[in-house]
Amino acid sequence: MSQVTVLGAWPSPYVYRVIWALKLKGVDYEYVEEDVLHNKSDRLLKYNPVHKKVPVLVHAGKPIAESAVILEYIEETWPQNPLLPKDPHQRALARFWIKFGEDKSAALFGFFMTEGEQQEKATKEGQEQLRILEEQGLGEKMFFGGDEIGMADLEFGWLAWWLDVMSEIAGVKVIDAESFPRLHAWIQRFKDISAIKEPLPDRSAMLTYFKGRRATFLALAKS
Amino acid sequence: MAEQNKVILYGTWTRPYVKRVELALKVKGIPYEYVEEDLRNKSPMLLKLNPIHKKVPVLVHNGKAITESLVIIEYIDETWKTGPRLLPQDPYKRSQIRFWASYIQQVFEALVMVLKTIGEAQEKAIKEVSEKVKLLEAGLKGLFPDGIPSVDEYSKNVTLLDLVILANLGGYEAQEEVLGVKIIDSEKTPLIVSCITALIDLPAVKESRMPHEKVVAFLKFFRENALNSAAA
C-alpha cells in the first residue's frame, strides 16, 4: 500500500474536504501541518509550485494540488464508498454544484471580510447564493449527493462548522433554521456522520484564529 | 437522429468556453445542432436551460441540460466512447490534466486583463500573465517531456487540456496584432505554440477555425468597449 500524505493547515476548510474523502473511504494517510501564513516549507513549495497552497495530496511520491482535483483523484483511486453517482448526467450535476461553490466563494465569504454598509451588502449577496443552494442544489434531498453523502456535500462542508464561527466573529447571522430550513437540517445530518465529525477542529481555537484573520482582512481593506 | 439522442449546443462564437465544448464534440465525431445565442438578448430557452448562471455553453442531451464547459467535456467523455479519450485512464495523469485545464482559466483571465487595460495597469497585467504563462509552459514540459507528438499521433491522444489550450490561447497571434505585445510565442512558450499548431492541423479543428481577421476585429471591438466603459 503506497504512502498517502496530506499537506494541510488545520483552519482550512479546503483541507477537510480531502481529509473527509479519505476517511469516508477508509484510506490511511499521514497528515503534515503547514504554516501557510508565515513559513511555507520547502516541501510545500516543491509539491505545489504553482499555487503554493494547501491541501496537497501526495500518493506514492506524486503530488496533486487543488481540492476539487484531489477529490476526483481520490474517487478514482479508491472507488469504495463512492462520492459521485454512476450516471453521467448526475455526475455532471454534482460537478456543477462543486464549481458553483468555488465560483461563488467570494460572494459567500464576503460578509466575513467586510464591515458596516459593505457588510450588509455582502451578507445579502451571500444569502442570495445560499438561497440558490438551498432550493436548487439541495432541494428535497437528504444530502447534495442524494440519499448518501457525496463530493458536493464535502464542497459545502464549511457551512457546517466554519460558517457558524465566522458569523459569530463577524456579528452577522447568515443562516438560521427559519430562513434556511433545508440547509440547516442538512448541516445537522452532515455533522452527525462520524467521519465528518471526528476530525473537526476545536471551536475555541477556530474563534481565536479567525478573529485574527478578520482583523487582518479589515486592516488590508483600509490600507 | 432519434429525438432521444439529440445533442444541442447553445453557444456564442466569441466565447472560448463554448469553443472548448465545440472542439470536444468535433474531435469525438459527435453530431450536434448548434444554436447561436446573442448574449445581449438571451433566448427564453437559454434562460430556462441555465437559470442559475444564464450563460453559454449549455449542452442538451436526451433532453437534459449540462452547463460549465469542463463539466460538459467530462460528461461527453463519459457518455461517448468513440474518438480519443479526452481524459486518460490513469488517475494521476487525469489529475494533472484537470489541474492544468483549471489553471488555464487563470491564465486566460489574466490575458483578458491585458486586453482591457492601458498604461501602467496594462504593464502590470502583462507582467502577471507572463508569469502565469511561464508556469503553464513549465507544466506542459512536465506532461510532455519529449515534446508535442506529431499530428497523426496527436489525433489519437488529444485530451481535454489540449482543447482548453486551443480554445483559450489559440488566438494568440490575433492578440499580438491587436496589442503589439508578444505574450505567447515560439521563443518564450515553445510548447504552448507547438500544441496549438499541432491541434489546428487536425481535420476536425481546421474546418471550424475562425479566420484571423475576424478574431482580430472582435478583439479590437472588445478592447475598445472595455476601455470606453472604464473611462465612462
Side-chain angles (χ1 to χ4, degrees):
Chain A
M1 176 63 159
S2 288
Q3 171 80 323
V4 179
T5 308
V6 175
L7 302 188
W10 72 265
S12 163
Y14 299 92
V15 169
Y16 288 83
R17 290 175 194 165
V18 174
I19 290 174
W20 285 327
L22 292 169
K23 282 197 180 298
L24 286 165
K25 288 171 178 284
V27 177
D28 284 325
Y29 64 95
E30 180 203 353
Y31 176 80
V32 175
E33 182 72 22
E34 283 283 339
D35 180 0
V36 285
L37 287 183
H38 306 295
N39 192 17
K40 293 178 183 180
S41 73
D42 291 336
R43 176 190 48 221
L44 177 63
L45 300 176
K46 178 179 116 185
Y47 283 144
N48 190 1
V50 174
H51 300 296
K52 307 177 176 54
K53 288 182 183 170
V54 290
V56 177
L57 183 85
V58 186
H59 182 214
K62 294 190 271 195
I64 300 145
E66 294 296 290
S67 64
V69 176
I70 297 172
L71 288 181
E72 297 263 7
Y73 177 84
I74 291 173
E75 177 70 1
E76 287 161 5
T77 306
W78 296 282
Q80 67 271 26
N81 298 345
L83 297 172
L84 280 177
K86 279 202 164 54
D87 172 67
H89 184 249
Q90 293 301 312
R91 290 162 80 87
L93 281 175
R95 288 175 174 140
F96 171 86
W97 288 107
I98 290 168
K99 182 122 206 312
F100 180 88
E102 293 184 3
D103 289 347
K104 301 296 179 184
S105 61
L108 292 165
F109 288 118
F111 76 93
F112 188 69
M113 327 268 269
T114 49
E115 50 187 348
E117 232 179 83
Q118 270 202 324
Q119 189 188 49
E120 269 180 56
K121 186 166 173 263
T123 306
K124 277 206 178 74
E125 268 177 43
Q127 285 168 332
E128 268 169 39
Q129 304 311 319
L130 290 169
R131 181 68 49 205
I132 293 173
L133 206 58
E134 157 118 351
E135 288 172 9
Q136 299 182 55
L138 189 58
E140 303 290 337
K141 304 196 300 280
M142 294 277 283
F143 295 100
F144 286 93
D147 292 328
E148 309 261 351
I149 190 175
M151 224 183 257
D153 296 275
L154 303 189
E155 170 71 28
F156 296 107
W158 69 274
L159 294 172
W161 194 241
W162 281 257
L163 179 60
D164 190 55
V165 168
M166 291 164 74
S167 298
E168 184 179 316
I169 293 167
V172 278
K173 201 125 190 53
V174 181
I175 73 174
D176 61 31
E178 285 84 52
S179 51
F180 291 90
R182 291 178 191 160
L183 277 180
H184 186 82
W186 170 81
I187 285 170
Q188 310 317 311
R189 255 176 253 130
F190 183 76
K191 274 196 295 198
D192 253 348
I193 298 168
S194 59
I196 302 297
K197 189 168 42 186
E198 193 245 306
L200 285 175
D202 173 68
R203 198 177 189 276
S204 55
M206 280 175 72
L207 274 171
T208 310
Y209 175 83
F210 281 103
K211 266 190 188 126
R213 294 307 285 148
R214 179 165 162 79
T216 305
F217 293 139
L218 294 178
L220 273 172
K222 288 193 177 102
S223 64
Chain B
M1 199 185 332
E3 209 49 47
Q4 184 66 356
N5 288 322
K6 197 166 172 158
V7 178
I8 310 171
L9 174 64
Y10 292 80
T12 301
W13 75 269
T14 56
R15 289 289 182 274
Y17 298 108
V18 172
K19 188 110 200 112
R20 292 172 175 186
V21 176
E22 266 195 301
L23 287 170
L25 291 166
K26 285 198 189 296
V27 148
K28 300 246 315 169
I30 299 164
Y32 65 98
E33 183 192 323
Y34 178 76
V35 175
E36 178 75 15
E37 283 284 335
D38 178 357
L39 297 179
R40 292 160 302 182
N41 188 15
K42 294 173 185 179
S43 71
M45 184 54 107
L46 179 66
L47 300 178
K48 182 178 139 211
L49 293 170
N50 190 0
I52 292 172
H53 298 302
K54 308 177 175 51
K55 284 184 185 169
V56 290
V58 180
L59 190 83
V60 180
H61 178 228
N62 292 339
K64 292 187 252 190
I66 302 131
T67 63
E68 297 296 331
S69 62
L70 295 180
V71 175
I72 297 173
I73 297 174
E74 294 226 23
Y75 173 85
I76 288 172
D77 205 41
E78 286 170 5
T79 307
W80 285 275
K81 304 299 182 187
T82 53
R85 291 297 303 271
L86 297 175
L87 283 164
Q89 293 277 65
D90 174 65
Y92 185 70
K93 291 194 176 121
R94 291 165 79 91
S95 77
Q96 296 311 289
I97 286 183
R98 285 181 176 127
F99 176 88
W100 289 108
S102 165
Y103 187 65
I104 288 174
Q105 179 160 349
Q106 290 187 36
V107 178
F108 179 68
E109 283 169 7
L111 261 176
V112 172
M113 265 329 252
V114 177
L115 261 176
K116 287 164 98 162
T117 49
I118 48 171
E120 222 179 276
Q122 193 188 47
E123 273 176 46
K124 187 165 171 257
I126 291 173
K127 189 161 176 277
E128 204 186 299
V129 75
S130 301
E131 278 165 24
K132 294 196 149 99
V133 149
K134 214 166 138 187
L135 282 170
L136 176 62
E137 178 76 13
L140 286 181
K141 190 137 189 146
L143 288 175
F144 296 107
D146 304 316
I148 307 290
S150 70
V151 178
D152 286 327
E153 236 191 88
Y154 212 19
S155 62
K156 299 178 204 105
N157 297 312
V158 176
T159 68
L160 175 154
L161 177 59
D162 300 312
L163 304 181
V164 168
I165 289 173
L166 182 59
N168 286 95
L169 307 178
Y172 73 96
E173 285 169 322
Q175 253 191 344
E176 192 182 310
E177 193 175 310
V178 170
L179 292 169
V181 178
K182 276 187 207 276
I183 294 164
I184 291 171
D185 74 0
S186 39
E187 244 183 70
K188 294 193 196 121
T189 58
L191 281 174
I192 297 176
V193 170
S194 328
C195 180
I196 292 170
T197 310
L199 283 167
I200 57 183
D201 254 348
L202 291 177
V205 175
K206 228 179 210 164
E207 59 168 55
S208 62
R209 185 131 171 92
M210 208 51 76
H212 178 83
E213 302 72 38
K214 204 169 175 191
V215 182
V216 168
F218 169 71
L219 291 178
K220 279 191 171 138
F221 167 77
F222 178 84
R223 179 166 167 74
E224 245 179 70
N225 258 8
L227 293 176
N228 286 339
S229 11

